[in-house]
Amino acid sequence: METCNCVEPQWPAEELLMKYQYISDFFIALAYFSIPLELIYFVKKSAVFPYRWVLVQFGAFIVLCGATHLINLWTFTIHTRTVAIVMTIAKVLTAVVSCITALMLVHIIPDLLSVKTRELFLKNKAAELDREMGLIRTQEETGRHVRMLTHEIRSTLDRHTILKTTLVELGRTLALEECALWMPTRTGLELQLSYTLRPQNPVGYTVPIQLPVINQVFSSNRAVKISPNCPVARIRPFAGKYMPGEVVAVRVPLLHLSNFQINDWPELSTKRYALMVLMLPSDSARQWHAYELELVEVVADQVAVALSHAAILEESMRARDLLMERNVALDLARREAETAIRARNDFLAVMNHEMRTPMHAIIALSSLLQETGLTPEQRLMVETILKSSNLLATLINDVLDLSRLEDGSLQLDLGTFNLRAVFREVLNLIKPIASVKKLPVTLNLAPDLPEYAIGDEKRLMQTILNVVGNAVKFSKEGNISITAFVARPESLRDLRFPDFFPVPSDDHFYLRVQVKDEGLGINPQDIPKLFTKFAQNQSLATRNSGGSGLGLAICKRFVNLMEGHIWIESEGLGKGCTAIFVVKLAILECSNESKHPFMQKGPANHGQTTFSGLKVLVMDDNGVSRMVTKGLLVHLGCDVTTVSSSDECLRVVSLDHKVVFMDVCMPDGFEVAIRIHERFTKRHERPLIVALTGNANKVTKENCMKVGMDGVILKPVSVDKMRGVLSDLLEHRVLFEAM
Amino acid sequence: MDGVIQLQRQLVDYTASLFHEGFLDEQFNQLQQLQDENNPDFVVEVVSLFFEDSERLLNELAKALEQQCVDFKRIDAHVHQLKGSSSSIGAQRVQKACIAFRNYCDEQNTEGCLKCLQQVKHEYSLVKTKLETLFKLQRRVLAAGGSIPKPI
């Protein structure tokens, strides 16, 4: 027997165990070879498998294992050494690869496991995102609905439209069966069904507000699910078969204007709510989703805001309408007032002229009449006419003055005047009447009373005259004393009158005049009424004393204009009375007078009536005019020299002549004036130069002023005019422009 | 007595008529006022002076207008004088005629001036006659023992 390199198996091949092993090995090999094939097939199919090289490794391991088991088949029978060697190599390789693989797997399996966990994680994440997407989508849906709803609601400021639109849109968006709004009644004790979606529901149906379900809804700002059987929800006829749909209620705050503070928002201060009830369709098995509830809550808030806007708008429209009405009324009133004022002013203007003109004529002509030869009865008649007309003229002036005083348009005519002369004149005027009533009148002027002062002479005299006149009027017996002195600043301060603030100054002084009488006196209670116009003291004793009641009112206003104060003191009826007033006058500083030629003044000043011995020079080249002028002046008592040419005039004129009348139509009339000015430079020794002219134009007047004439008279000259001119020129020596 | 009163009434009426017809104006009244015990013939004196003056002026005017080359300046001066005199005594119509005369002078219209001169002469002679009658009446009243009533 040849020795073969065969290896003998340990067990005989025919043994049963061996047979089973042989079959198992075969199947193992088969399986082991098919697994990689499957793997390759499936991996090729799917492209994403990341661990390819692991597969390769695994495949190699399996293939080798398969090979090992396959080769093992040959070792059941006698086999050559080669087979044994191959078998060994295969086993060795298999051992190596499987060890490597085992080592690899230590790394790979955790990876594979984590892949699995990551996959799970991602799946969860995806589910979550899905959920969130769903949420966002629904929120966006909600937001869109709300925006649309808000837009609808806000696009109108009409309350009804707002509410109706809300219900309609909500109904549409949420596919509701019914949507209803319950508003609180005026009393606040009930809720009244105000708006519904379906018109067949009974509007006006009320429900008491104190129901527990309503309280529950009102106490929270969320939409609350309520039972379909509660009174607020039982408003529709139950049409479905099984179940009424779910009902949700939400409160709608009704904000009042006063609820809006500047810095905080109304939270719990609003007490009034309306109730909005929403019902899902019956038998729909729909449920209220959270986002739907949210939608409802947002809408409720929006409605509240829109309603408040509507309320604000209503308020402001009402206020604006009211304002417009008031404006129209005010405008009308203003126009009426303006018309009234205009009418009054027109009336006054007309009265002023129309009434004064005839009065002037009456007074002027009566006074002229007085100067003519009259029988005693005629004289008496004329004097009465004159007195009455003067009274009437005074009354007219008073009334007109008073209106002007009230207007504030009266201004004082300030001028220099002789203060003492004013008092003397008042005395002269009042003496006749006082002597008729046998009332002695005494005048006490303080020695320090200035001779001249600057103020409104006419109105001061009017005031004094009025006060003294009252004293005479209201006295039946007793002495009337007039005292005038300069008030010391200290004594002024002692007078505590609410609206009199004397301000002492260097160039002003306060004249204080007191008129005391021992007549009827006045009740102290009536004293304040004295100065109100048209109010008369109606006691019997005074009823017949005449007067219109204007006098003291006007005096008060004059005194006020002169920055003074007037008041009356009386101890009572029958105890006489003292009228006192204080006025502010300016002190006359020095002879700083300016001279202006004065234009024709009316027959006002009858100061001096004769000018006996007054030396006057008349220059006129017209014989007749010369003679007439001379005649005029001679009639007035002057010593007249006449010249007919300018040379003669310059020759004759001297300081003895007090006045020179010259006809300026003469060729060198003006020159003569200039020459006279040159010759006699000292102002108060120069003769006064007066121009006589027939032209009343501005040019002539201006020329006269230019050469320094002291006056201009228009020919023809009447006796009175000449008299007035002379007395003005001489007495004042200072001429102010006549107003 | 009756006669005096009648004469006086006649005088008053006549004076009134002069005023009414516009021969005399207010200025004449003024003149009459100036007449008193110291100046008993004031008015007559003034009026006589007026007559003299006016006649002289009218002659001058006539001469000036006959010239070849009319000197309107001189004519204006004369008319001015005449106007002044007539207004001084209150001869209203003469004065008005003088005013018209001056207008033509300004226009240097010889024809117009001549016409106006005629007018002035006419008015002057009228007023002269009237005043002379008035004075005669006054003298008669005075002679009869009455007094001339002062103007109203």
Side-chain angles (χ1 to χ4, degrees), chain A residues 368-369 372 621-625 627-628 630-632 634-635 665 695 715-720, chain B residues 27 30-31 33-34 36 39 42 45-46 49-50 53 80-81 84-85 87-89 151-152:
Chain A
L368 275 179
L369 190 56
T372 64
D621 59 350
N622 183 318
V624 176
S625 302
M627 196 167 167
V628 172
K630 176 172 175 182
L632 264 178
V634 164
H635 182 73
C665 300
N695 328 350
K715 281 204 275 195
V717 192
S718 69
V719 177
D720 283 329
Chain B
Q27 185 61 18
Q30 293 288 328
L31 284 187
Q33 277 192 359
L34 298 177
D36 52 23
N39 238 332
F42 180 66
E45 283 173 13
V46 176
L49 187 56
F50 168 67
D53 229 12
H80 179 73
Q81 287 274 333
S85 312
S87 68
S88 291
I89 69 152
I152 302 170

mmCIF file of all heavy atoms in Angstrom, chain A residues 368-369 372 621-625 627-628 630-632 634-635 665 695 715-720, chain B residues 27 30-31 33-34 36 39 42 45-46 49-50 53 80-81 84-85 87-89 151-152:
data_model
loop_
_atom_site.group_PDB
_atom_site.id
_atom_site.type_symbol
_atom_site.label_atom_id
_atom_site.label_comp_id
_atom_site.label_asym_id
_atom_site.label_seq_id
_atom_site.Cartn_x
_atom_site.Cartn_y
_atom_site.Cartn_z
ATOM 1 N N LEU A 368 -77.989 186.694 21.148
ATOM 2 C CA LEU A 368 -77.882 187.937 20.379
ATOM 3 C C LEU A 368 -79.075 188.832 20.657
ATOM 4 O O LEU A 368 -78.958 190.053 20.798
ATOM 5 C CB LEU A 368 -77.827 187.618 18.889
ATOM 6 C CG LEU A 368 -76.447 187.286 18.354
ATOM 7 C CD1 LEU A 368 -76.560 186.963 16.883
ATOM 8 C CD2 LEU A 368 -75.484 188.428 18.578
ATOM 9 N N LEU A 369 -80.223 188.176 20.735
ATOM 10 C CA LEU A 369 -81.439 188.925 20.992
ATOM 11 C C LEU A 369 -81.333 189.685 22.302
ATOM 12 O O LEU A 369 -81.769 190.828 22.421
ATOM 13 C CB LEU A 369 -82.616 187.933 21.041
ATOM 14 C CG LEU A 369 -84.025 188.519 21.072
ATOM 15 C CD1 LEU A 369 -84.245 189.426 19.900
ATOM 16 C CD2 LEU A 369 -85.058 187.395 21.057
ATOM 17 N N THR A 372 -79.916 193.129 22.153
ATOM 18 C CA THR A 372 -80.615 194.223 21.486
ATOM 19 C C THR A 372 -81.535 194.917 22.473
ATOM 20 O O THR A 372 -81.691 194.490 23.617
ATOM 21 C CB THR A 372 -81.451 193.678 20.332
ATOM 22 O OG1 THR A 372 -82.461 192.828 20.889
ATOM 23 C CG2 THR A 372 -80.590 192.877 19.377
ATOM 24 N N ASP A 621 -55.798 198.820 3.045
ATOM 25 C CA ASP A 621 -55.721 199.809 1.976
ATOM 26 C C ASP A 621 -57.100 200.131 1.407
ATOM 27 O O ASP A 621 -57.251 201.057 0.627
ATOM 28 C CB ASP A 621 -54.775 199.333 0.864
ATOM 29 C CG ASP A 621 -55.234 198.016 0.283
ATOM 30 O OD1 ASP A 621 -56.149 197.393 0.847
ATOM 31 O OD2 ASP A 621 -54.654 197.596 -0.738
ATOM 32 N N ASN A 622 -58.084 199.384 1.815
ATOM 33 C CA ASN A 622 -59.438 199.670 1.345
ATOM 34 C C ASN A 622 -60.101 200.577 2.357
ATOM 35 O O ASN A 622 -60.284 200.205 3.521
ATOM 36 C CB ASN A 622 -60.203 198.352 1.208
ATOM 37 C CG ASN A 622 -61.588 198.553 0.650
ATOM 38 O OD1 ASN A 622 -62.292 199.485 1.018
ATOM 39 N ND2 ASN A 622 -61.956 197.667 -0.277
ATOM 40 N N GLY A 623 -60.460 201.792 1.893
ATOM 41 C CA GLY A 623 -60.998 202.784 2.806
ATOM 42 C C GLY A 623 -62.214 202.319 3.553
ATOM 43 O O GLY A 623 -62.345 202.487 4.776
ATOM 44 N N VAL A 624 -63.104 201.695 2.811
ATOM 45 C CA VAL A 624 -64.366 201.291 3.430
ATOM 46 C C VAL A 624 -64.106 200.250 4.507
ATOM 47 O O VAL A 624 -64.593 200.355 5.640
ATOM 48 C CB VAL A 624 -65.325 200.740 2.366
ATOM 49 C CG1 VAL A 624 -66.578 200.230 3.013
ATOM 50 C CG2 VAL A 624 -65.623 201.795 1.336
ATOM 51 N N SER A 625 -63.300 199.236 4.149
ATOM 52 C CA SER A 625 -63.000 198.186 5.125
ATOM 53 C C SER A 625 -62.343 198.783 6.348
ATOM 54 O O SER A 625 -62.655 198.424 7.486
ATOM 55 C CB SER A 625 -62.056 197.146 4.539
ATOM 56 O OG SER A 625 -62.594 196.569 3.395
ATOM 57 N N MET A 627 -62.599 201.723 7.523
ATOM 58 C CA MET A 627 -63.547 202.455 8.349
ATOM 59 C C MET A 627 -64.428 201.498 9.142
ATOM 60 O O MET A 627 -64.729 201.744 10.319
ATOM 61 C CB MET A 627 -64.420 203.328 7.441
ATOM 62 C CG MET A 627 -65.124 204.364 8.224
ATOM 63 S SD MET A 627 -65.814 205.584 7.143
ATOM 64 C CE MET A 627 -66.870 206.388 8.306
ATOM 65 N N VAL A 628 -64.831 200.430 8.492
ATOM 66 C CA VAL A 628 -65.708 199.477 9.194
ATOM 67 C C VAL A 628 -64.971 198.825 10.350
ATOM 68 O O VAL A 628 -65.497 198.732 11.477
ATOM 69 C CB VAL A 628 -66.214 198.403 8.210
ATOM 70 C CG1 VAL A 628 -66.944 197.308 8.945
ATOM 71 C CG2 VAL A 628 -67.118 199.026 7.163
ATOM 72 N N LYS A 630 -62.424 200.008 11.939
ATOM 73 C CA LYS A 630 -62.226 201.007 12.980
ATOM 74 C C LYS A 630 -63.500 201.170 13.786
ATOM 75 O O LYS A 630 -63.465 201.229 15.024
ATOM 76 C CB LYS A 630 -61.835 202.330 12.327
ATOM 77 C CG LYS A 630 -61.715 203.451 13.328
ATOM 78 C CD LYS A 630 -61.145 204.713 12.695
ATOM 79 C CE LYS A 630 -61.179 205.827 13.723
ATOM 80 N NZ LYS A 630 -60.683 207.098 13.197
ATOM 81 N N GLY A 631 -64.621 201.214 13.057
ATOM 82 C CA GLY A 631 -65.893 201.367 13.747
ATOM 83 C C GLY A 631 -66.140 200.236 14.739
ATOM 84 O O GLY A 631 -66.538 200.448 15.888
ATOM 85 N N LEU A 632 -65.836 199.027 14.317
ATOM 86 C CA LEU A 632 -66.019 197.862 15.182
ATOM 87 C C LEU A 632 -65.217 198.031 16.471
ATOM 88 O O LEU A 632 -65.728 197.854 17.568
ATOM 89 C CB LEU A 632 -65.505 196.606 14.470
ATOM 90 C CG LEU A 632 -66.480 195.715 13.727
ATOM 91 C CD1 LEU A 632 -65.734 194.587 13.073
ATOM 92 C CD2 LEU A 632 -67.516 195.155 14.681
ATOM 93 N N VAL A 634 -63.809 200.704 17.703
ATOM 94 C CA VAL A 634 -64.205 201.854 18.522
ATOM 95 C C VAL A 634 -65.433 201.474 19.348
ATOM 96 O O VAL A 634 -65.538 201.814 20.524
ATOM 97 C CB VAL A 634 -64.473 203.076 17.614
ATOM 98 C CG1 VAL A 634 -65.238 204.137 18.368
ATOM 99 C CG2 VAL A 634 -63.160 203.618 17.088
ATOM 100 N N HIS A 635 -66.347 200.752 18.728
ATOM 101 C CA HIS A 635 -67.550 200.332 19.438
ATOM 102 C C HIS A 635 -67.202 199.506 20.662
ATOM 103 O O HIS A 635 -67.881 199.551 21.689
ATOM 104 C CB HIS A 635 -68.434 199.511 18.479
ATOM 105 C CG HIS A 635 -69.726 199.070 19.078
ATOM 106 N ND1 HIS A 635 -70.753 199.933 19.314
ATOM 107 C CD2 HIS A 635 -70.146 197.861 19.456
ATOM 108 C CE1 HIS A 635 -71.787 199.261 19.822
ATOM 109 N NE2 HIS A 635 -71.436 197.995 19.931
ATOM 110 N N CYS A 665 -54.390 190.951 2.253
ATOM 111 C CA CYS A 665 -54.486 190.990 0.795
ATOM 112 C C CYS A 665 -53.650 192.124 0.237
ATOM 113 O O CYS A 665 -53.448 192.250 -0.962
ATOM 114 C CB CYS A 665 -55.956 191.179 0.384
ATOM 115 S SG CYS A 665 -56.976 189.867 0.980
ATOM 116 N N ASN A 695 -60.039 185.636 2.263
ATOM 117 C CA ASN A 695 -59.928 184.274 1.729
ATOM 118 C C ASN A 695 -59.778 183.311 2.874
ATOM 119 O O ASN A 695 -58.914 183.448 3.722
ATOM 120 C CB ASN A 695 -58.686 184.050 0.840
ATOM 121 C CG ASN A 695 -58.315 185.269 0.095
ATOM 122 O OD1 ASN A 695 -59.057 186.214 0.080
ATOM 123 N ND2 ASN A 695 -57.141 185.223 -0.505
ATOM 124 N N LYS A 715 -62.835 187.983 7.131
ATOM 125 C CA LYS A 715 -63.785 189.078 6.928
ATOM 126 C C LYS A 715 -65.037 188.499 6.296
ATOM 127 O O LYS A 715 -64.950 187.588 5.489
ATOM 128 C CB LYS A 715 -63.165 190.101 5.972
ATOM 129 C CG LYS A 715 -62.168 190.998 6.649
ATOM 130 C CD LYS A 715 -62.030 192.298 5.881
ATOM 131 C CE LYS A 715 -61.023 192.187 4.743
ATOM 132 N NZ LYS A 715 -60.640 193.492 4.239
ATOM 133 N N PRO A 716 -66.202 188.944 6.567
ATOM 134 C CA PRO A 716 -66.571 190.073 7.431
ATOM 135 C C PRO A 716 -66.597 189.668 8.896
ATOM 136 O O PRO A 716 -66.879 188.525 9.229
ATOM 137 C CB PRO A 716 -67.971 190.433 6.944
ATOM 138 C CG PRO A 716 -68.532 189.177 6.411
ATOM 139 C CD PRO A 716 -67.372 188.386 5.897
ATOM 140 N N VAL A 717 -66.337 190.651 9.752
ATOM 141 C CA VAL A 717 -66.256 190.361 11.180
ATOM 142 C C VAL A 717 -67.464 190.967 11.864
ATOM 143 O O VAL A 717 -67.783 192.128 11.657
ATOM 144 C CB VAL A 717 -64.980 190.996 11.771
ATOM 145 C CG1 VAL A 717 -64.733 190.465 13.148
ATOM 146 C CG2 VAL A 717 -63.817 190.734 10.860
ATOM 147 N N SER A 718 -68.095 190.158 12.707
ATOM 148 C CA SER A 718 -69.212 190.702 13.465
ATOM 149 C C SER A 718 -68.685 191.250 14.785
ATOM 150 O O SER A 718 -67.548 190.990 15.179
ATOM 151 C CB SER A 718 -70.228 189.592 13.738
ATOM 152 O OG SER A 718 -69.667 188.675 14.655
ATOM 153 N N VAL A 719 -69.539 191.970 15.463
ATOM 154 C CA VAL A 719 -69.143 192.580 16.726
ATOM 155 C C VAL A 719 -68.724 191.483 17.707
ATOM 156 O O VAL A 719 -67.691 191.557 18.351
ATOM 157 C CB VAL A 719 -70.322 193.377 17.327
ATOM 158 C CG1 VAL A 719 -69.927 193.944 18.662
ATOM 159 C CG2 VAL A 719 -70.730 194.471 16.376
ATOM 160 N N ASP A 720 -69.565 190.465 17.768
ATOM 161 C CA ASP A 720 -69.277 189.388 18.720
ATOM 162 C C ASP A 720 -67.964 188.714 18.410
ATOM 163 O O ASP A 720 -67.173 188.399 19.302
ATOM 164 C CB ASP A 720 -70.407 188.341 18.679
ATOM 165 C CG ASP A 720 -71.627 188.845 19.419
ATOM 166 O OD1 ASP A 720 -71.440 189.619 20.376
ATOM 167 O OD2 ASP A 720 -72.734 188.464 19.033
ATOM 168 N N GLN B 27 -73.969 192.029 7.072
ATOM 169 C CA GLN B 27 -72.917 192.976 7.388
ATOM 170 C C GLN B 27 -73.481 194.373 7.613
ATOM 171 O O GLN B 27 -72.997 195.132 8.465
ATOM 172 C CB GLN B 27 -71.888 192.989 6.247
ATOM 173 C CG GLN B 27 -70.681 193.853 6.494
ATOM 174 C CD GLN B 27 -69.871 193.418 7.698
ATOM 175 O OE1 GLN B 27 -69.980 192.308 8.182
ATOM 176 N NE2 GLN B 27 -69.062 194.331 8.195
ATOM 177 N N GLN B 30 -74.491 194.678 11.057
ATOM 178 C CA GLN B 30 -73.346 194.892 11.928
ATOM 179 C C GLN B 30 -72.988 196.367 11.970
ATOM 180 O O GLN B 30 -72.686 196.941 13.017
ATOM 181 C CB GLN B 30 -72.144 194.078 11.416
ATOM 182 C CG GLN B 30 -72.316 192.580 11.532
ATOM 183 C CD GLN B 30 -72.244 192.106 12.964
ATOM 184 O OE1 GLN B 30 -71.528 192.685 13.792
ATOM 185 N NE2 GLN B 30 -73.006 191.089 13.275
ATOM 186 N N LEU B 31 -73.028 196.958 10.791
ATOM 187 C CA LEU B 31 -72.692 198.390 10.733
ATOM 188 C C LEU B 31 -73.655 199.194 11.581
ATOM 189 O O LEU B 31 -73.253 200.075 12.347
ATOM 190 C CB LEU B 31 -72.771 198.886 9.293
ATOM 191 C CG LEU B 31 -71.632 198.505 8.374
ATOM 192 C CD1 LEU B 31 -71.802 199.230 7.056
ATOM 193 C CD2 LEU B 31 -70.297 198.881 8.974
ATOM 194 N N GLN B 33 -75.236 198.231 14.069
ATOM 195 C CA GLN B 33 -74.979 198.015 15.490
ATOM 196 C C GLN B 33 -73.895 198.922 16.010
ATOM 197 O O GLN B 33 -73.855 199.262 17.183
ATOM 198 C CB GLN B 33 -74.539 196.562 15.704
ATOM 199 C CG GLN B 33 -75.678 195.615 15.806
ATOM 200 C CD GLN B 33 -75.190 194.264 16.295
ATOM 201 O OE1 GLN B 33 -73.991 194.068 16.537
ATOM 202 N NE2 GLN B 33 -76.103 193.344 16.473
ATOM 203 N N LEU B 34 -72.928 199.241 15.110
ATOM 204 C CA LEU B 34 -71.798 200.033 15.573
ATOM 205 C C LEU B 34 -72.190 201.492 15.793
ATOM 206 O O LEU B 34 -71.407 202.268 16.348
ATOM 207 C CB LEU B 34 -70.664 199.948 14.552
ATOM 208 C CG LEU B 34 -70.124 198.536 14.344
ATOM 209 C CD1 LEU B 34 -69.072 198.549 13.260
ATOM 210 C CD2 LEU B 34 -69.517 198.019 15.630
ATOM 211 N N ASP B 36 -73.822 204.282 17.635
ATOM 212 C CA ASP B 36 -74.396 204.570 18.949
ATOM 213 C C ASP B 36 -74.238 206.053 19.250
ATOM 214 O O ASP B 36 -73.955 206.840 18.353
ATOM 215 C CB ASP B 36 -73.737 203.690 20.015
ATOM 216 C CG ASP B 36 -72.216 203.784 19.957
ATOM 217 O OD1 ASP B 36 -71.703 204.807 19.438
ATOM 218 O OD2 ASP B 36 -71.559 202.837 20.407
ATOM 219 N N ASN B 39 -71.146 207.624 18.095
ATOM 220 C CA ASN B 39 -70.950 207.560 16.641
ATOM 221 C C ASN B 39 -72.291 207.624 15.939
ATOM 222 O O ASN B 39 -72.729 206.649 15.344
ATOM 223 C CB ASN B 39 -70.285 206.215 16.321
ATOM 224 C CG ASN B 39 -68.974 206.385 15.617
ATOM 225 O OD1 ASN B 39 -68.770 207.371 14.922
ATOM 226 N ND2 ASN B 39 -68.090 205.425 15.809
ATOM 227 N N PHE B 42 -72.409 206.995 11.948
ATOM 228 C CA PHE B 42 -71.395 206.038 11.483
ATOM 229 C C PHE B 42 -71.779 205.423 10.153
ATOM 230 O O PHE B 42 -70.999 205.402 9.205
ATOM 231 C CB PHE B 42 -71.215 204.958 12.564
ATOM 232 C CG PHE B 42 -70.194 203.925 12.208
ATOM 233 C CD1 PHE B 42 -68.851 204.279 12.093
ATOM 234 C CD2 PHE B 42 -70.556 202.622 11.979
ATOM 235 C CE1 PHE B 42 -67.905 203.321 11.778
ATOM 236 C CE2 PHE B 42 -69.609 201.664 11.657
ATOM 237 C CZ PHE B 42 -68.283 202.009 11.549
ATOM 238 N N GLU B 45 -71.662 207.766 7.203
ATOM 239 C CA GLU B 45 -70.274 208.079 6.814
ATOM 240 C C GLU B 45 -69.666 206.933 6.021
ATOM 241 O O GLU B 45 -69.031 207.145 4.973
ATOM 242 C CB GLU B 45 -69.433 208.323 8.074
ATOM 243 C CG GLU B 45 -69.675 209.697 8.674
ATOM 244 C CD GLU B 45 -68.978 209.862 10.013
ATOM 245 O OE1 GLU B 45 -68.113 208.999 10.342
ATOM 246 O OE2 GLU B 45 -69.287 210.825 10.718
ATOM 247 N N VAL B 46 -69.855 205.752 6.538
ATOM 248 C CA VAL B 46 -69.253 204.612 5.845
ATOM 249 C C VAL B 46 -69.814 204.471 4.451
ATOM 250 O O VAL B 46 -69.095 204.259 3.470
ATOM 251 C CB VAL B 46 -69.486 203.314 6.647
ATOM 252 C CG1 VAL B 46 -68.957 202.121 5.879
ATOM 253 C CG2 VAL B 46 -68.818 203.379 7.999
ATOM 254 N N LEU B 49 -68.502 207.053 2.086
ATOM 255 C CA LEU B 49 -67.146 206.687 1.683
ATOM 256 C C LEU B 49 -67.197 205.605 0.622
ATOM 257 O O LEU B 49 -66.438 205.622 -0.355
ATOM 258 C CB LEU B 49 -66.373 206.206 2.906
ATOM 259 C CG LEU B 49 -64.893 205.941 2.693
ATOM 260 C CD1 LEU B 49 -64.208 207.178 2.141
ATOM 261 C CD2 LEU B 49 -64.266 205.528 4.003
ATOM 262 N N PHE B 50 -68.121 204.661 0.849
ATOM 263 C CA PHE B 50 -68.266 203.577 -0.116
ATOM 264 C C PHE B 50 -68.639 204.131 -1.486
ATOM 265 O O PHE B 50 -68.078 203.730 -2.509
ATOM 266 C CB PHE B 50 -69.336 202.591 0.380
ATOM 267 C CG PHE B 50 -69.768 201.590 -0.650
ATOM 268 C CD1 PHE B 50 -68.909 200.622 -1.106
ATOM 269 C CD2 PHE B 50 -71.042 201.657 -1.189
ATOM 270 C CE1 PHE B 50 -69.303 199.704 -2.063
ATOM 271 C CE2 PHE B 50 -71.443 200.745 -2.141
ATOM 272 C CZ PHE B 50 -70.577 199.763 -2.593
ATOM 273 N N ASP B 53 -65.596 205.836 -3.104
ATOM 274 C CA ASP B 53 -64.618 204.824 -3.492
ATOM 275 C C ASP B 53 -65.058 204.075 -4.735
ATOM 276 O O ASP B 53 -64.301 203.894 -5.696
ATOM 277 C CB ASP B 53 -64.470 203.826 -2.331
ATOM 278 C CG ASP B 53 -63.015 203.579 -1.968
ATOM 279 O OD1 ASP B 53 -62.154 204.340 -2.462
ATOM 280 O OD2 ASP B 53 -62.775 202.615 -1.227
ATOM 281 N N HIS B 80 -60.913 193.751 -6.862
ATOM 282 C CA HIS B 80 -60.703 193.246 -5.504
ATOM 283 C C HIS B 80 -61.057 194.295 -4.474
ATOM 284 O O HIS B 80 -61.739 194.040 -3.487
ATOM 285 C CB HIS B 80 -59.247 192.808 -5.361
ATOM 286 C CG HIS B 80 -58.898 192.300 -3.996
ATOM 287 N ND1 HIS B 80 -59.341 191.078 -3.546
ATOM 288 C CD2 HIS B 80 -58.195 192.851 -3.005
ATOM 289 C CE1 HIS B 80 -58.895 190.887 -2.315
ATOM 290 N NE2 HIS B 80 -58.191 191.956 -1.946
ATOM 291 N N GLN B 81 -60.602 195.509 -4.737
ATOM 292 C CA GLN B 81 -60.919 196.594 -3.820
ATOM 293 C C GLN B 81 -62.416 196.808 -3.728
ATOM 294 O O GLN B 81 -62.983 196.954 -2.633
ATOM 295 C CB GLN B 81 -60.274 197.887 -4.348
ATOM 296 C CG GLN B 81 -58.783 197.945 -4.183
ATOM 297 C CD GLN B 81 -58.404 198.477 -2.816
ATOM 298 O OE1 GLN B 81 -59.175 199.241 -2.226
ATOM 299 N NE2 GLN B 81 -57.261 198.081 -2.337
ATOM 300 N N GLY B 84 -64.031 194.175 -1.772
ATOM 301 C CA GLY B 84 -63.802 194.359 -0.344
ATOM 302 C C GLY B 84 -64.719 195.413 0.233
ATOM 303 O O GLY B 84 -65.335 195.222 1.282
ATOM 304 N N SER B 85 -64.804 196.543 -0.468
ATOM 305 C CA SER B 85 -65.632 197.629 0.056
ATOM 306 C C SER B 85 -67.082 197.192 0.142
ATOM 307 O O SER B 85 -67.747 197.421 1.163
ATOM 308 C CB SER B 85 -65.546 198.846 -0.856
ATOM 309 O OG SER B 85 -64.221 199.141 -1.170
ATOM 310 N N SER B 87 -68.356 194.296 0.360
ATOM 311 C CA SER B 87 -68.639 193.311 1.409
ATOM 312 C C SER B 87 -68.551 193.960 2.782
ATOM 313 O O SER B 87 -69.247 193.551 3.703
ATOM 314 C CB SER B 87 -67.681 192.120 1.321
ATOM 315 O OG SER B 87 -66.383 192.519 1.651
ATOM 316 N N SER B 88 -67.740 194.982 2.903
ATOM 317 C CA SER B 88 -67.639 195.643 4.208
ATOM 318 C C SER B 88 -68.909 196.331 4.606
ATOM 319 O O SER B 88 -69.198 196.449 5.797
ATOM 320 C CB SER B 88 -66.516 196.686 4.187
ATOM 321 O OG SER B 88 -65.283 196.047 4.095
ATOM 322 N N ILE B 89 -69.648 196.832 3.619
ATOM 323 C CA ILE B 89 -70.892 197.471 4.036
ATOM 324 C C ILE B 89 -72.092 196.575 3.817
ATOM 325 O O ILE B 89 -73.208 196.937 4.198
ATOM 326 C CB ILE B 89 -71.129 198.812 3.306
ATOM 327 C CG1 ILE B 89 -71.437 198.567 1.832
ATOM 328 C CG2 ILE B 89 -69.961 199.729 3.484
ATOM 329 C CD1 ILE B 89 -72.300 199.672 1.276
ATOM 330 N N PRO B 151 -81.491 197.141 14.492
ATOM 331 C CA PRO B 151 -81.848 195.945 13.708
ATOM 332 C C PRO B 151 -82.077 194.725 14.628
ATOM 333 O O PRO B 151 -81.428 194.575 15.645
ATOM 334 C CB PRO B 151 -80.622 195.701 12.823
ATOM 335 C CG PRO B 151 -79.519 196.377 13.541
ATOM 336 C CD PRO B 151 -80.101 197.539 14.242
ATOM 337 N N ILE B 152 -82.972 193.913 14.202
ATOM 338 C CA ILE B 152 -83.274 192.694 14.964
ATOM 339 C C ILE B 152 -82.360 191.576 14.476
ATOM 340 O O ILE B 152 -82.373 191.267 13.300
ATOM 341 C CB ILE B 152 -84.740 192.288 14.789
ATOM 342 C CG1 ILE B 152 -85.606 193.440 15.255
ATOM 343 C CG2 ILE B 152 -85.044 191.024 15.590
ATOM 344 C CD1 ILE B 152 -87.059 193.268 14.912
#
